[in-house]
Amino acid sequence: MCRTADLRQAILARNDDGARELRAELTARGAAAVNLLSSPGSGKTALLEAELTLARERGVPVAALTADLATENDAVRLARSGVPVKQVLTDGLCHLESAMLRSHLAGWLPDQTRLLFVENVGNLVCPASYDLGETLRVVLASVTEGEDKPLKYPTAFGLANLVVVTKTDIAEAVEFDQDAFLANVRQVNPGVEVVFTSARTGAGVGALLDRALAVLDGAEVHRPVMAQASAHGHSHGHSHGPGGGHSHSHEYADGGGLLAIQVSDPVGEQF
């Protein structure tokens, strides 16, 4: 049991080292990463597409990398925004890791990019334990998922710098209790900002982009109590190897419907 715990700590420590390196590289370029976590079906992709489209309209240089176990559906949707988008297929791995992300950015991330939005695998367990070198960690939950979601997934919500509620246009229909949800968020992450959005109606669209740009320009980032308590106290009860196999990367060109597919090795390198 001790060996299992030690191995998990070693994996997370190596990931954190890579995350620090990636964060420093992005900072040197005048850029920052935004790590988006949520359950499957939360509306994360729809909101991100709206935010990317708004960024392009405002002339803000952004890019997006989206990760899934299978299919290229999310990258196809996000590419409609007209910004650079890259799909990563994890071959069954339930989360991204910093070395994997760094390798996929190598030679791809446009030089002028200010914000990199990373749509993590739809999962509130494994991704919560892995720092990707992000400056802003955002956890999303739809009104359909239940007000007790923060209590069921305290690590994911407890380590968030920002919480976003999606699909608010149907909140009344599903009898979403906003006060109860906010109370549960505050229980696991006191002081964190909660933003309410609807990609369908446009309500709250732009808030995520605004918060990310503000942080990039030096605004203070919320520091969760859980993050301050312990660097690795949030690790979950099972672990995965830091790579070991190849991962497939699919890059989508802007406009014209062109698709370029490449296979990337997950070994980290500078980009």
Side-chain angles (χ1 to χ4, degrees):
M1 189 65 182
C2 290
R3 288 180 59 83
T4 300
D6 290 345
L7 176 61
R8 184 165 63 247
Q9 295 299 331
I11 290 172
L12 289 172
R14 182 163 69 173
N15 179 82
D16 287 351
D17 288 342
R20 281 190 289 271
E21 293 175 3
L22 178 54
R23 189 177 293 110
E25 291 170 10
L26 289 171
T27 299
R29 294 168 56 126
V34 181
N35 186 7
L36 304 177
L37 292 79
S38 79
S39 300
S42 68
K44 179 167 74 268
T45 305
L47 179 63
L48 180 55
E49 181 185 351
E51 297 284 349
L52 295 176
T53 300
L54 182 60
R56 180 181 57 76
E57 292 172 350
R58 290 184 181 178
V60 180
V62 301
L65 182 146
T66 181
D68 280 299
L69 277 67
T71 83
E72 300 153 8
N73 296 345
D74 287 355
V76 171
R77 291 174 59 188
L78 294 179
R80 296 184 304 201
S81 68
V83 309
V85 174
K86 191 171 191 178
Q87 176 77 57
V88 173
L89 299 183
T90 64
D91 287 340
L93 193 64
C94 64
H95 60 276
L96 285 173
E97 297 178 8
S98 60
M100 185 189 305
L101 176 60
R102 194 179 182 201
S103 70
H104 284 295
L105 297 180
W108 171 76
L109 189 67
D111 291 338
Q112 72 275 18
T113 303
R114 294 198 72 203
L115 290 173
L116 169 67
F117 289 91
V118 180
E119 184 179 20
N120 219 315
V121 179
N123 181 348
L124 283 177
V125 182
C126 305
S129 296
Y130 289 84
D131 183 357
L132 297 183
E134 70 265 20
T135 299
L136 191 67
R137 175 176 289 209
V138 182
V139 174
L140 301 91
S142 73
V143 298
T144 63
E145 295 179 65
E147 296 81 0
D148 61 347
K149 201 78 172 184
L151 302 183
K152 289 182 175 179
Y153 298 91
T155 300
F157 284 88
L159 291 173
N161 305 118
L162 177 69
V163 174
V164 174
V165 178
T166 61
K167 304 184 182 181
T168 57
D169 54 296
I170 59 172
E172 184 176 354
V174 299
E175 299 182 346
F176 176 69
D177 188 334
Q178 179 174 312
D179 290 339
F181 180 84
L182 289 173
N184 291 334
V185 169
R186 292 177 184 129
Q187 185 173 329
V188 299
N189 194 343
V192 69
E193 182 183 8
V194 180
V195 174
F196 293 86
T197 68
S198 168
R200 177 171 293 179
T201 67
V205 172
L208 176 57
L209 177 62
D210 289 342
R211 302 304 188 278
L213 286 172
V215 169
L216 183 63
D217 290 337
E220 185 175 354
V221 180
H222 169 70
R223 293 188 62 200
V225 173
M226 185 179 293
Q228 299 176 47
S230 172
H232 296 300
H234 57 275
S235 61
H236 53 74
H238 67 285
S239 60
H240 302 270
H246 66 280
S247 58
H248 300 279
S249 170
H250 304 256
E251 182 176 341
Y252 292 79
D254 295 342
L258 299 178
L259 169 66
I261 301 179
Q262 65 185 50
V263 177
S264 302
D265 187 282
V267 177
E269 57 181 309
Q270 289 194 345
F271 50 90

